[in-house]
Amino acid sequence: MRHAATFARWARGSGDWRAEARHWTPCALLRAAARLTDFSVRELARAAVRLGARADSRRRRARRASVFRRMEIEDELLQILLPADRVSGDLSDAQRDGNTPAEPFSLSPEERIDRLRKLVATHGLPHSANEMGTEKFGMCSLRGIVWKAFLGIGVIPVHNYMNLVAQGPSADAEKIGNDTIRTFIKNVDFTSRVSPDMLSRVLNAYCHARGNTKGTYVQSMSILCAPFLYLMPEPDAFESFSVFLECHVPEYVNNYRGVFSAFRLFEECLRVADRQLYDHFVGYQLKPELYAFSTISTLNACVPPMSDTVKLWDVQLAFGAYWGVIFTLARIVNSSALLLSSKEGPGAPLITRELEQGLGMNAEAVLKLSFELVQQFDAHLLQRLVKHAIQPPQPEDAGS
Amino acid sequence: MAGVSSSAPTPLAKYKLVFLGDQSVGKTSIITRFMYDKFDNNYQATIGIDFLSKTMYLEDRTVRLQLWDTAGQERFRSLIPSYIRDSSVAVVVYDVVNRASFINTTKWIEEVRNERGNDVILVLVGNKTDQTEKRQVSVEEGDAKAKEHDIMFIETSAKAGFNVKALFRKIAAALPGMENSAMARDTDLIDVKLNASASTNPTASQESSCGC
């Protein structure tokens, strides 16, 4: 079968696959992924029942209200994964299965991405999704492949990356070196997969690709690059990182304009989500600039472990970088009792480095609460959240 | 964690110390040496700001220090004035093997003066003295700059543990309001107001062998 064969070649990164790979869609990958992992349809159905109502933030209320809608989601997920569960042979068997309603291969790319989003939101990717260098997927991890789908990256122009690397150190090489030797250096899981040299090559290549003007690299950018290298080979990570910065968080990069907008939105969200904690912070004269700077500006990538970060990034790559703000919110609201019990007086920065390290991330708990919290925000707030990382602040946003 | 309980019936005197300076000069390292008596060659770059607090037990009094560890990165600069606000102490750090970081201390000092005027204790700190052979800024230059701005001066090595405790003792001795504090008795540091000739104070070198 053409898709399966193309996919296999594409995944291994070999052969004359580039022309065909344009037709690749994540749905085919999902089938392959499901076969590889311990997904069981029944388990998935249970997960869908539990979480189905939260699948799509925009239409979440209607979904929650309707049991029928919930069943629809369940059906959709079953459709995506049923063939994989049933068929043990080649992927093509799934397509020949005439009993499968609404054959996914007949769907448009947009519909397939939509399904991928739903899967990520309702069930999450399998535990093995971070594995790189597998026989099935080749150099890139399954999670990396899914991320590239969300970023709209199909073909990786490897030569482009190689040429950029061949240009050697960029004008910002020293600053990059300063950061790369200390990016998650204590995190063995990370350093066993990503070396400072890999980070350095990708970041210098990024500067070269942007014209090699001094100041293209700004401190802490290495943290945003790290999750991609954790999951992908260098050329893929380079491409993904570039698209991510330019399309998903342009307002977060060269200046912190989007991050400043995020602080104001964060306060509004906190006021809705946890009024007591909001008042507590106000009483302490604490602003998100103080207690949430690192987490918001790095979309929570700065909080170890990386295995938790990538689960959060699944959702923010699928639905938008604004989820980073909601995750930060959920993490802080989850620690509300601890923060409220502080005995430090007003003016004290409550979230100290020690507390920050003690809180950890706990992606599962953060995701669960995030899906609940987001339902409390009104449309206007959500709309501004969605825009803040990708658009400059609009005049009508001010003071509202 | 340090300093949760205090037997003193009166609330602890609290002071905010903000650490400023270019990237990688060792702000986090100095703080970590002071807090935990530890050093690491590669700390994660500070993103934005980081907070630590420590109760410091002096001979005749106890104070609570809130340490504000800021990022040296340029796109973060616009937030710096808001962090300097309300600070009792500003510690401006440079790297003695990085001349540019020394030159830039003028900007950091101005930043503090703009926000706090003379209502702040300013300390200039030349860090990384352990790297003797690579030194680009002499101790005399550091001292001269401190005198020029009428602020305190000390050289440290967070790596070797040199002078870090001395730095904090020096700061504690000079804290504003200390002379009126209920806990402050018979202090022998009479001239400690906000400027002082502390840059020429020899105690720094005397205490240099501690803590390592």
Side-chain angles (χ1 to χ4, degrees):
Chain A
M1 166 59 219
R2 189 166 139 267
H3 278 92
T6 304
F7 165 70
R9 283 201 300 279
W10 182 85
R12 276 191 225 103
S14 61
D16 181 23
W17 44 267
R18 290 182 192 191
E20 280 184 273
R22 286 199 196 94
H23 305 295
W24 169 80
T25 56
C27 215
L29 279 169
L30 267 187
R31 290 162 177 268
R35 271 176 55 225
L36 272 185
T37 61
D38 299 322
F39 270 11
S40 112
V41 171
R42 196 169 298 153
E43 268 176 29
L44 189 71
R46 275 202 296 268
V49 170
R50 270 202 314 275
L51 295 166
R54 302 166 189 160
D56 186 328
S57 64
R58 276 181 235 168
R59 284 168 289 172
R60 65 206 175 280
R61 288 200 181 98
R63 277 189 191 165
R64 192 174 48 161
S66 161
V67 176
F68 293 108
R69 183 61 193 140
R70 200 177 286 187
M71 288 167 70
E72 273 176 48
I73 293 169
E74 217 174 299
D75 284 345
E76 279 179 18
L77 287 159
L78 289 173
Q79 272 176 32
I80 297 174
L81 289 154
L82 191 59
D85 192 58
R86 257 197 225 158
V87 183
S88 58
D90 190 77
L91 286 172
S92 56
D93 293 349
Q95 212 182 23
R96 283 189 220 108
D97 186 349
N99 293 330
T100 310
E103 170 52 53
F105 279 127
S106 66
L107 298 173
S108 72
E110 289 75 21
E111 285 169 317
R112 290 174 194 187
I113 289 286
D114 200 39
R115 289 190 174 201
L116 195 58
R117 286 195 178 111
K118 279 173 190 151
L119 182 97
V120 160
T122 53
H123 190 267
L125 295 176
H127 292 303
S128 58
N130 292 349
E131 282 173 25
M132 288 171 78
T134 57
E135 202 181 320
K136 274 288 168 192
F137 297 111
M139 296 290 284
C140 197
S141 66
L142 167 63
R143 177 166 264 122
I145 291 168
V146 171
W147 284 18
K148 284 192 287 181
F150 289 144
L151 290 164
I153 296 170
V155 180
I156 299 294
V158 177
H159 288 291
N160 177 41
Y161 177 69
M162 285 167 68
N163 291 337
L164 291 167
V165 171
Q167 292 180 40
S170 69
D172 286 329
E174 196 186 331
K175 214 185 329 170
I176 290 170
N178 243 336
D179 267 7
T180 53
I181 55 160
R182 48 186 190 155
T183 301
F184 302 120
I185 207 73
K186 296 285 181 287
N187 182 339
V188 178
D189 176 41
F190 182 78
T191 53
S192 67
R193 297 165 72 112
V194 183
S195 71
D197 286 346
M198 288 160 72
L199 266 170
S200 178
R201 279 193 294 271
V202 169
L203 294 169
N204 278 292
Y206 175 79
C207 291
H208 282 303
R210 303 291 297 266
N212 199 20
T213 324
K214 209 168 163 65
T216 303
Y217 181 83
V218 285
Q219 194 181 33
S220 304
M221 228 185 223
S222 64
I223 302 212
L224 294 179
C225 183
F228 296 106
L229 274 170
Y230 181 78
L231 299 170
M232 304 175 190
E234 282 178 52
D236 306 50
F238 165 74
E239 204 67 26
S240 302
F241 172 65
S242 306
V243 171
F244 175 68
L245 289 196
E246 279 156 39
C247 303
H248 283 231
V249 286
E251 290 293 301
Y252 275 40
V253 183
N254 286 320
N255 52 56
Y256 278 132
R257 193 167 51 189
V259 176
F260 294 139
S261 308
F263 294 146
R264 301 286 74 80
L265 291 162
F266 182 93
E267 281 185 314
E268 280 188 56
C269 293
L270 180 64
R271 197 165 185 272
V272 174
D274 189 336
R275 185 59 196 259
Q276 205 187 350
L277 189 60
Y278 172 84
D279 289 341
H280 191 64
F281 282 143
V282 169
Y284 269 63
Q285 298 141 32
L286 287 181
K287 295 249 161 208
E289 291 74 338
L290 300 180
Y291 59 80
F293 194 99
S294 57
T295 40
I296 284 181
S297 66
T298 64
L299 298 103
N300 303 292
C302 68
V303 183
M306 188 58 81
S307 53
D308 270 359
T309 298
V310 295
K311 285 181 197 161
L312 300 180
W313 279 42
D314 288 345
V315 175
Q316 69 198 26
L317 287 168
F319 295 97
Y322 67 97
W323 276 89
V325 178
I326 300 166
F327 296 149
T328 303
L329 177 74
R331 178 168 172 264
I332 288 180
V333 169
N334 264 335
S335 313
S336 187
L338 181 67
L339 295 169
L340 289 171
S341 69
S342 167
K343 293 197 172 58
E344 299 270 357
L350 283 178
I351 304 185
T352 60
R353 189 198 294 175
E354 279 160 331
L355 180 70
E356 182 74 51
Q357 285 167 354
L359 290 181
M361 182 45 83
N362 193 351
E364 304 296 341
V366 163
L367 282 168
K368 188 170 176 294
L369 183 61
S370 296
F371 287 124
E372 287 168 19
L373 291 177
V374 81
Q375 298 177 36
Q376 301 172 20
F377 306 146
D378 63 40
H380 183 56
L381 178 54
L382 269 177
Q383 201 178 22
R384 283 176 298 142
L385 262 177
V386 170
K387 285 190 301 187
H388 87 276
I390 46 178
Q391 281 178 18
Q394 306 292 307
E396 69 267 26
D397 294 342
S400 52
Chain B
M1 204 196 127
V4 173
S5 65
S6 166
S7 55
T10 46
L12 281 180
K14 287 173 187 162
Y15 298 96
K16 171 175 163 183
L17 282 67
V18 59
F19 283 72
L20 305 165
D22 284 9
Q23 293 172 38
S24 307
V25 295
K27 299 178 290 294
T28 302
S29 294
I30 290 172
I31 289 172
T32 309
R33 172 62 80 183
F34 172 61
M35 291 286 293
Y36 313 108
D37 200 18
K38 275 197 235 161
F39 178 79
D40 206 308
N41 272 315
N42 297 310
Y43 288 108
Q44 177 70 59
T46 305
I47 304 161
I49 189 146
D50 212 356
F51 304 104
L52 300 96
S53 53
K54 179 159 174 139
T55 305
M56 198 176 176
Y57 300 95
L58 303 166
E59 283 147 26
D60 57 344
R61 55 189 176 264
T62 305
V63 292
R64 184 84 166 147
L65 303 181
Q66 285 165 4
L67 310 178
W68 293 44
D69 183 11
T70 66
Q73 60 162 299
E74 51 292 79
R75 64 177 169 160
F76 185 67
R77 295 279 160 88
S78 62
L79 274 176
I80 292 289
S82 67
Y83 293 132
I84 297 173
R85 207 161 296 151
D86 305 324
S87 59
S88 312
V89 183
V91 182
V92 174
V93 185
Y94 65 92
D95 172 359
V96 297
V97 301
N98 177 351
R99 189 146 191 97
S101 75
F102 176 66
I103 291 163
N104 287 339
T105 55
T106 309
K107 283 194 294 182
W108 289 110
I109 292 166
E110 277 168 14
E111 193 104 57
V112 175
R113 289 286 183 223
N114 285 342
E115 193 59 42
R116 301 288 291 131
N118 286 322
D119 203 15
V120 66
I121 298 168
L122 249 163
V123 193
L124 183 66
V125 177
N127 190 38
K128 306 196 189 178
T129 58
D130 51 283
Q131 302 197 41
T132 329
E133 72 287 358
K134 292 194 211 154
R135 198 185 255 274
Q136 292 181 2
V137 186
S138 70
V139 64
E140 291 77 17
E141 287 176 286
D143 196 40
K145 186 162 210 165
K147 281 191 177 127
E148 179 196 327
H149 291 276
D150 198 15
I151 62 179
M152 294 197 272
F153 172 66
I154 192 168
E155 279 197 341
T156 60
S157 165
K159 186 173 187 174
F162 169 72
N163 260 354
V164 174
K165 275 188 185 170
L167 163 67
F168 282 90
R169 285 208 188 117
K170 207 166 164 144
I171 290 168
L175 286 172
M178 196 53 87
E179 63 275 17
N180 299 324
S181 155
M183 282 178 282
R185 298 161 304 168
D186 61 53
T187 172
D188 55 347
L189 295 149
I190 298 150
D191 285 337
V192 287
K193 286 273 169 169
L194 299 175
N195 39 26
S197 52
S199 55
T200 53
N201 189 341
T203 54
S205 50
Q206 280 165 17
E207 291 177 0
S208 65
S209 58
C210 63
C212 47

